[in-house]
């Protein structure tokens, strides 16, 4: 008899047990595992392939980043070599600068105040200015002191001015004898032979390129020659030998 429920109008039919196969019965009664319901994922073991297989891949399959690695490495190595070479050149330049003294350091006026440095530059342009800085006073007095110092120990010499102290020619001979002793036999000279003295002095000066600006005849007969003319000639002697 078919069992009936009060709520269902139609009877429930249950198939006989003999009509269900053992396999269907096992499937229906046993739940499927979760792993069978999820898609199978690739195992990491599937990616384990020989390294040479990867390198044998054609160049066309390389990614752009892989293709750009070689030129990037070359450019970086080039820039590294350039920077290294530049640093080496900089070290050589620094060592050369240390070994060679700079003009500012070697200059004798590097530590001199600007005002004094200006006077030194002026002294280079004007030899008498440098002489005045050395001896003090005016250019005229400085040159006079220089003449006195040069003729120390010479007989019959007493230089106190640029006029009467030079009227016999011995002062010129004494100054030039300190530079050109072979041209002037000073011990043989006399204050009475003015013409001989002037001639020897002027010839000795001309032998090295100092032109005479004084006239022998005028100097012989003048007791007090023009001091400016005498000073100009003595200045030429000083500049030639001392500057």
């Amino acid at each position: 008899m078919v069992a009936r429920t009060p709520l269902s109008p139609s009877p429930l039919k249950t198939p006989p047990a003999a009509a269900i196969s053992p396999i269907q019965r096992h499937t229906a009664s046993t739940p499927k595992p979760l792993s069978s319901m999820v898609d199978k994922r690739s195992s990491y073991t599937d990616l384990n392939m020989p390294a040479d297989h990867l390198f044998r891949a054609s160049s066309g399959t390389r990614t752009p980043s892989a293709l750009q690695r070689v030129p990037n490495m070359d450019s970086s190595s080039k820039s590294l070599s350039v920077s290294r070479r530049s640093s080496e050149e900089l070290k050589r330049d620094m060592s050369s600068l240390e070994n060679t003294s700079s003009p500012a350091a070697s200059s004798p006026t590097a530590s001199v105040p600007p005002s004094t440095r200006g006077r030194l530059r002026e002294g280079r342009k004007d030899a008498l200015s440098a002489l005045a800085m050395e001896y003090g006073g005016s250019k005229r007095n400085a040159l006079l002191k220089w003449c006195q110092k040069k003729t120390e120990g010479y007989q019959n010499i007493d230089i106190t001015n640029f006029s009467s102290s030079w009227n016999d020619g011995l002062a010129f001979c004494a100054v030039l004898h300190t530079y050109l002793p072979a041209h002037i036999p000073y011990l043989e000279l006399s204050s009475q032979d003015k013409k001989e003295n002037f001639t020897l002095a002027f010839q000795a000066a001309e032998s090295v390129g100092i032109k005479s600006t004084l006239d022998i005849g005028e100097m012989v007969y003048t007791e007090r020659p023009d001091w400016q003319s005498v000073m100009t000639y003595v200045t030429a002697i000083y500049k030639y030998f001392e500057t």
Side-chain angles (χ1 to χ4, degrees), residues 97-118:
L97 288 176
E98 291 176 357
N99 295 332
T100 305
S101 60
S102 61
S106 60
S107 175
T109 61
S111 59
V112 179
S115 58
T116 306
R117 196 177 303 127

Side-chain angles (χ1 to χ4, degrees), residues 34-241:
L34 183 61
S35 60
S36 64
M37 300 176 63
V38 181
D39 296 337
K40 291 186 178 180
R41 299 182 183 272
S42 299
S43 175
Y44 287 106
T45 56
D46 298 338
L47 298 178
N48 293 335
M49 57 181 63
D52 56 351
H53 176 72
L54 295 176
F55 288 110
R56 284 199 302 269
S58 62
S59 59
T61 60
R62 293 181 180 178
T63 60
S65 60
L67 294 175
Q68 293 177 359
R69 286 175 186 172
V70 174
N72 288 339
M73 292 176 63
D74 294 340
S75 62
S76 61
S77 60
K78 289 180 180 179
S79 61
L80 180 60
S81 60
V82 170
S83 62
R84 186 178 302 165
R85 186 163 54 252
S86 301
S87 62
E88 293 176 356
E89 293 176 356
L90 180 59
K91 291 180 180 178
R92 287 196 299 268
D93 295 341
M94 292 298 293
S95 60
S96 63
L97 288 176
E98 291 176 357
N99 295 332
T100 305
S101 60
S102 61
S106 60
S107 175
T109 61
S111 59
V112 179
S115 58
T116 306
R117 196 177 303 127
R119 290 196 299 270
L120 290 175
R121 284 195 296 266
E122 183 181 356
R124 295 191 191 100
K125 296 179 182 178
D126 189 352
L128 294 184
S129 297
L131 193 63
M133 292 178 61
E134 180 180 355
Y135 288 98
S138 64
K139 298 178 182 179
R140 178 180 175 181
N141 291 334
L143 184 62
L144 191 64
K145 291 180 180 179
W146 174 79
C147 294
Q148 293 172 350
K149 185 176 180 180
K150 292 297 292 183
T151 57
E152 287 180 355
Y154 283 83
Q155 299 178 356
N156 303 321
I157 298 295
D158 185 18
I159 300 176
T160 58
N161 55 58
F162 284 109
S163 183
S164 59
S165 298
W166 305 78
N167 62 2
D168 58 2
L170 287 179
F172 290 109
C173 290
V175 172
L176 290 169
H177 182 265
T178 60
Y179 300 107
L180 305 170
H183 290 75
I184 300 175
Y186 187 82
L187 296 178
E188 301 176 4
L189 302 180
S190 173
S191 60
Q192 302 298 323
D193 195 351
K194 294 183 179 182
K195 186 175 181 179
E196 178 69 14
N197 298 340
F198 285 117
T199 301
L200 288 174
F202 295 165
Q203 288 179 352
E206 289 178 356
S207 67
V208 294
I210 304 174
K211 296 182 178 181
S212 177
T213 56
L214 300 174
D215 182 77
I216 295 179
E218 183 179 353
M219 294 295 295
V220 169
Y221 297 103
T222 303
E223 290 297 326
R224 298 186 64 86
D226 180 58
W227 71 269
Q228 292 179 342
S229 299
V230 174
M231 182 177 174
T232 300
Y233 187 63
V234 175
T235 301
I237 297 174
Y238 168 78
K239 286 183 178 180
Y240 181 84
F241 290 106

